[in-house]
């Protein structure tokens, strides 16, 4: 397989017809290719997340990361967009689902698409991945340390989010969860609660809690980065998508 790719900024249609900026990458080799929607973390649509999009393309997937904060203004820096969105309590759940649906439609429209869609998200994007997988028909989902699936944000948190565990019965696809043993949001106890609920409902899932890793261990540009956990986590991501997104 060649890792030659195209990558660049595109526009997608999100919730209620809004035009969103997005970053996309796809292999130049002929398909068929599975598609991956990457949901960025709470700090926003940044260079490290775009590197992840290219990483998926290098492994044979068409991938896209919609800028969930696009509504904060064209020509506004990603950092300022993120600050404005956080000041409003984050992205409303209904809006998130519509934006992910639009990104998935973009991937399905590409030449050589095999029609299968995976979703992966980090931090707030991990929670939003679970939400998308319970709201849309997709083929595989990866939750990377998504908080507030089981519990609500603590008092004083700027993030407005409701727990999603009551939606678990609607999970539409296999779920891979990657978490840190030193994380508090979510804590290992919360991971256990979610796993038990999915077990009870008969939902296919695979959870891994990495020792010596906390929140954000995939983030190569942050002090939270933990190379050993990230390397093993990427292996599990590509193994999981390889099983569920193949033609």
């Amino acid at each position: 397989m060649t890792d030659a790719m195209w990558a660049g900024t595109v526009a997608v249609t999100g919730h209620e017809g809004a035009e969103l900026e997005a970053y996309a990458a796809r292999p130049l080799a002929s398909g068929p290719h599975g598609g991956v929607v990457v949901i960025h973390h709470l700090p926003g649509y940044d260079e490290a997340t775009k590197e992840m999009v290219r990483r998926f393309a290098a492994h044979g997937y068409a991938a896209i990361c919609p800028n969930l904060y696009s509504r904060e203004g064209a020509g506004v820096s990603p950092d300022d967009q993120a600050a404005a969105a956080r000041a409003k309590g984050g992205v409303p759940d209904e809006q998130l689902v519509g934006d992910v649906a639009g990104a998935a439609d973009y991937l399905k429209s590409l030449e050589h698409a095999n029609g299968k869609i995976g979703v992966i998200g980090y931090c707030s994007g991990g929670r939003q991945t679970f939400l998308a997988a319970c709201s849309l028909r997709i083929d595989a989902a990866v939750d990377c340390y998504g908080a507030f699936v089981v519990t609500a944000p603590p008092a004083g948190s700027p993030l407005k989010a409701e727990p999603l565990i009551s939606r678990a019965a609607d999970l539409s696809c296999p779920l891979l969860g990657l978490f840190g043993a030193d994380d508090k949001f979510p804590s290992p106890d919360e991971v256990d609660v979610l796993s038990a609920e999915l077990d009870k409902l008969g939902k296919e899932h695979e959870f891994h809690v990495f020792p010596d890793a906390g929140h954000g261990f995939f983030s190569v540009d942050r002090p939270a980065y933990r190379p050993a956990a990230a390397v093993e986590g990427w292996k599990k991501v590509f193994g999981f998508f390889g099983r569920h997104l193949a033609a």
Side-chain angles (χ1 to χ4, degrees):
M1 182 179 70
T2 176
D3 61 0
M5 69 179 73
W6 176 91
T9 301
V10 299
V12 299
T13 301
H15 181 63
E16 295 184 336
E19 183 175 292
L20 308 180
E21 180 181 346
Y23 187 77
R26 62 181 184 270
L28 292 180
S30 60
H33 306 299
V36 177
V37 178
V38 178
I39 305 179
H40 61 69
H41 56 174
L42 190 62
Y45 174 75
D46 54 16
E47 289 302 319
T49 305
K50 292 178 181 179
E51 288 179 11
M52 292 176 174
V53 174
R54 293 191 294 270
R55 187 169 191 153
F56 282 111
H59 281 76
Y61 298 94
I64 189 168
C65 177
N67 181 0
L68 303 177
Y69 305 153
S70 293
R71 294 170 181 82
E72 302 307 326
V76 178
S77 74
D79 285 346
D80 288 344
Q81 286 181 330
R86 289 196 299 270
K88 296 176 180 177
V91 175
D93 285 350
E94 182 181 8
Q95 180 177 300
L96 177 281
V97 172
D99 289 354
V100 171
D105 287 344
Y106 172 89
L107 293 174
K108 290 178 183 177
S109 74
L110 296 175
E111 186 179 8
H112 304 309
N114 70 4
K116 294 189 176 182
I117 298 293
V119 176
I120 185 169
Y122 306 81
C123 178
S124 61
R127 176 188 178 275
Q128 291 165 333
T129 290
F130 187 82
L131 172 65
C134 293
S135 305
L136 303 169
R137 297 298 302 178
I138 56 178
D139 298 286
V142 182
D143 169 2
C144 299
Y145 38 84
F148 315 130
V149 173
V150 172
T151 61
S157 170
L159 186 65
K160 297 176 182 177
E162 296 295 327
L164 298 173
I165 193 167
S166 64
R167 301 282 304 274
D170 298 324
L171 184 66
S172 66
C173 63
L175 174 69
L176 173 66
L178 304 175
F179 307 97
D182 298 335
D183 203 344
K184 295 181 180 178
F185 301 108
S187 69
D189 287 345
E190 290 176 61
V191 173
D192 288 343
V193 169
L194 180 57
S195 183
E197 180 67 11
L198 295 174
D199 281 338
K200 183 177 75 174
L201 293 168
K203 296 294 184 178
E204 183 179 348
H205 67 289
E206 175 187 336
F207 284 0
H208 300 274
V209 179
F210 294 94
D212 304 317
H215 198 74
F217 63 81
F218 275 105
S219 298
V220 295
D221 58 342
R222 295 174 181 270
Y225 180 54
R226 294 294 180 269
V231 168
E232 185 61 26
W234 277 115
K235 290 179 182 177
K236 293 187 183 302
V237 168
F238 286 117
F240 181 75
F241 280 158
R243 293 191 298 274
H244 296 293
L245 300 183

